Amino acid sequence: FLPDGSGFAYYPSGRPAICVSTVSSYQNRCYIYDDIPAPHLPTSSAGAVDRRSSAAAGGKKAPRRKRETMLCALDENVIGFAVDSSGGGNHGRRMVFTKEGCLISEADGRISKQWKWDATLQNAGTPPMEPVVLVLNKFMSFSYTDRFTIEVAFKCEGATCRLDLGMKLRRLDSYLDHADRMTSGPHFGKLIPQIEHRTLQQRQQDFSLAMSAKRSILNPKSENLSDKVSHIVAELEKTFDQYSAEHHTTRFLQPEWKTQSLDMTLGEIPRLPLTGTETGKTNGFGETLYMDKGHYRDAEEKGETKRVPEHLLDARTGGFLGDVEVRNAVRRVNPLLERTGVLNASSGRYCEDLVVPGGKAHALNPTGKMECLRADLPIVRSKELETFLASCPSSQLVVCVCLREDDRQCRSAASVA
């Protein structure tokens, strides 16, 4: 069934048992069928023509079309019927629901009970004091208490599905039910409805609270949270509330970034003189790299030909450094950003990969890097496992890693555990 209540239910044989269709957002219609098709239903004229044509052609007679027997049908206004098909003592009993009222008829057609929905009408009758139960078949039962309390229970293969077929209204009372009759004044004798009015200020307050709850989903505030987590969020607010005011950045590249990048690249590439034997067109940045001999001499006198940074040139020969020397020179000019802390409560591998200065040098830490605050895992022998588990609190979760000293992978895992 869908969230709106519409859907189908089937018997184990595959035949449809219940069909519920949606009329509005709060009203449905229900149709209930038997598991055994009706054996002798009249067919349409088209089917009769098909059987006659088949017989005339010398073929076999077409089988008579069968349909499932309907056991119950009720619409959104509780108009319909329900019939008992249990085969027991109440077999054939029917309940017929109309716009005016309801009646109960026995198998022989005798009306045993009849009443109207409006008890103030003439000959309205009295509704039954006890719930009326009809066994539709061996899988389903129909229970009627009043016009608004009608239930069908479908029990099959250990599962139970209950459907509410009662009348659904948006409201059951009238504004006149909550009205007071005036006993004095100009409105003497009139009914004055007692309606709860909400002022515009109250509506604005309700709207502000609703919007505050929505904002708290994305940006929760400590004053809007419960006492269980408000103190945690309050500590975070002390650090992060001023972050946007103290840190400013541009979330996009400026339009001139391409020009600046090109100028920086060309500023580090030396100019080359043409020999005069070149042919063809100049591709790429050739126009900015190659110069004829006259322009090259003029640029050489102005010092524009040597654009390579000094830290990438050999101080003795003036030529390029080697690959290793260039890497070291670039690293000296552009050092790595120093990290202010290490990741704690981790496996320790981040401490090896992300070196943070500021620690104490000792035999196991000769470089003086900052070490993480992780605690070494205790080593428990297999024969001591039960004693160790007994010493742990009953509410504590104990996770054990089984390692072998003669296995190389286990030793590697133990080094970072």
Side-chain angles (χ1 to χ4, degrees):
F1 289 91
L2 298 178
D4 60 358
S6 61
F8 295 89
Y10 297 89
Y11 291 107
S13 61
R15 296 188 179 93
I18 301 174
C19 172
V20 180
S21 60
T22 301
V23 179
S24 63
S25 59
Y26 62 97
Q27 293 176 325
N28 296 325
R29 293 178 180 176
C30 182
Y31 305 94
I32 300 176
Y33 302 91
D34 199 0
D35 192 21
I36 303 175
H40 301 293
L41 288 179
T43 58
S44 61
S45 57
V49 173
D50 294 341
R51 288 196 302 273
R52 287 196 298 269
S53 60
S54 177
K60 295 182 179 180
K61 186 177 180 180
R64 186 179 294 273
R65 185 164 55 92
K66 299 180 180 180
R67 294 181 179 178
E68 288 76 7
T69 302
M70 184 174 291
L71 300 177
C72 177
L74 285 179
D75 63 2
E76 68 278 8
N77 298 318
V78 191
I79 299 177
F81 73 97
V83 58
D84 190 316
S85 300
S86 61
N90 295 326
H91 181 79
R93 174 178 289 185
R94 294 174 178 267
M95 290 192 69
V96 180
F97 302 89
T98 62
K99 185 177 181 180
E100 290 77 15
C102 177
L103 62 87
I104 301 177
S105 63
E106 304 300 331
D108 55 0
R110 177 177 53 85
I111 298 177
S112 58
K113 190 74 174 177
Q114 185 174 5
W115 66 94
K116 297 180 180 180
W117 305 127
D118 190 356
T120 61
L121 297 179
Q122 186 177 9
N123 298 328
T126 57
M129 303 301 295
E130 299 292 334
V132 180
V133 178
L134 300 180
V135 181
L136 302 182
N137 57 16
K138 64 179 181 179
F139 297 105
M140 282 183 286
S141 62
F142 177 92
S143 176
Y144 168 86
T145 303
D146 54 48
R147 196 179 186 185
F148 301 94
T149 309
I150 302 176
E151 184 183 78
V152 170
F154 179 37
K155 299 180 181 180
C156 181
E157 296 183 345
T160 302
C161 176
R162 299 184 184 276
L163 301 178
D164 184 9
L165 308 185
M167 177 177 285
K168 303 296 185 300
L169 301 176
R170 287 190 179 273
R171 56 182 302 175
L172 301 178
D173 57 349
S174 172
Y175 70 94
L176 296 178
D177 298 337
H178 307 283
D180 295 337
R181 189 175 298 277
M182 301 301 295
T183 58
S184 62
H187 300 289
F188 177 77
K190 294 184 178 180
L191 291 175
I192 304 299
Q194 301 298 321
I195 301 175
E196 181 182 358
H197 297 280
R198 298 187 62 80
T199 63
L200 182 60
Q201 183 178 5
Q202 293 174 341
R203 295 181 182 180
Q204 177 64 26
Q205 293 176 355
D206 295 342
F207 178 78
S208 300
L209 293 176
M211 292 300 102
S212 177
K214 289 186 177 181
R215 287 192 299 269
S216 296
I217 298 177
L218 299 178
N219 187 16
K221 295 295 182 181
S222 58
E223 61 268 13
N224 297 330
L225 301 176
S226 63
D227 297 337
K228 296 181 180 179
V229 295
S230 59
H231 61 284
I232 301 176
V233 180
E235 294 296 329
L236 296 176
E237 290 175 350
K238 295 178 181 179
T239 304
F240 293 100
D241 282 359
Q242 301 298 327
Y243 186 87
S244 58
E246 298 174 355
H247 298 77
H248 301 278
T249 182
T250 304
R251 296 181 178 87
F252 55 90
L253 295 174
Q254 298 294 337
E256 59 273 9
W257 73 271
K258 291 185 178 180
T259 305
Q260 295 176 357
S261 177
L262 179 61
D263 294 341
M264 293 178 63
T265 302
L266 296 178
E268 297 182 358
I269 299 177
R271 293 295 185 92
L272 302 177
L274 295 173
T275 61
T277 60
E278 292 83 358
T279 59
K281 296 182 179 181
T282 303
N283 299 324
F285 298 112
E287 297 179 357
T288 59
L289 299 179
Y290 296 99
M291 304 175 64
D292 56 21
K293 293 183 178 180
H295 290 84
Y296 183 79
R297 284 193 298 268
D298 296 339
E300 189 176 14
E301 294 176 357
K302 298 178 181 180
E304 297 178 355
T305 56
K306 297 182 178 180
R307 296 184 175 182
V308 180
E310 295 182 358
H311 61 275
L312 299 182
L313 298 177
D314 192 341
R316 292 177 299 175
T317 63
F320 280 103
L321 295 174
D323 181 70
V324 177
E325 290 80 5
V326 169
R327 290 176 180 271
N328 293 332
V330 173
R331 185 173 299 175
R332 286 195 302 268
V333 177
N334 303 288
L336 295 175
L337 296 177
E338 292 187 1
R339 301 182 181 273
T340 59
V342 297
L343 294 175
N344 294 324
S346 62
S347 63
R349 61 181 183 276
Y350 298 108
C351 183
E352 300 293 337
D353 299 337
L354 306 177
V355 178
V356 180
K360 294 182 179 180
H362 50 82
L364 299 179
N365 187 18
T367 60
K369 66 179 180 179
M370 187 178 294
E371 299 178 294
C372 63
L373 303 179
R374 65 187 179 95
D376 295 335
L377 297 179
I379 300 177
V380 181
R381 301 295 179 181
S382 58
K383 62 181 180 180
E384 303 172 356
L385 180 60
E386 294 185 0
T387 305
F388 175 76
L389 295 177
S391 63
C392 298
S394 58
S395 60
Q396 181 179 356
L397 176 63
V398 180
V399 180
C400 299
V401 181
C402 299
L403 302 176
R404 295 183 51 163
E405 295 181 352
D406 58 346
D407 186 87
R408 181 171 59 86
Q409 294 182 351
C410 291
R411 292 197 300 270
S412 300
S415 63
V416 297

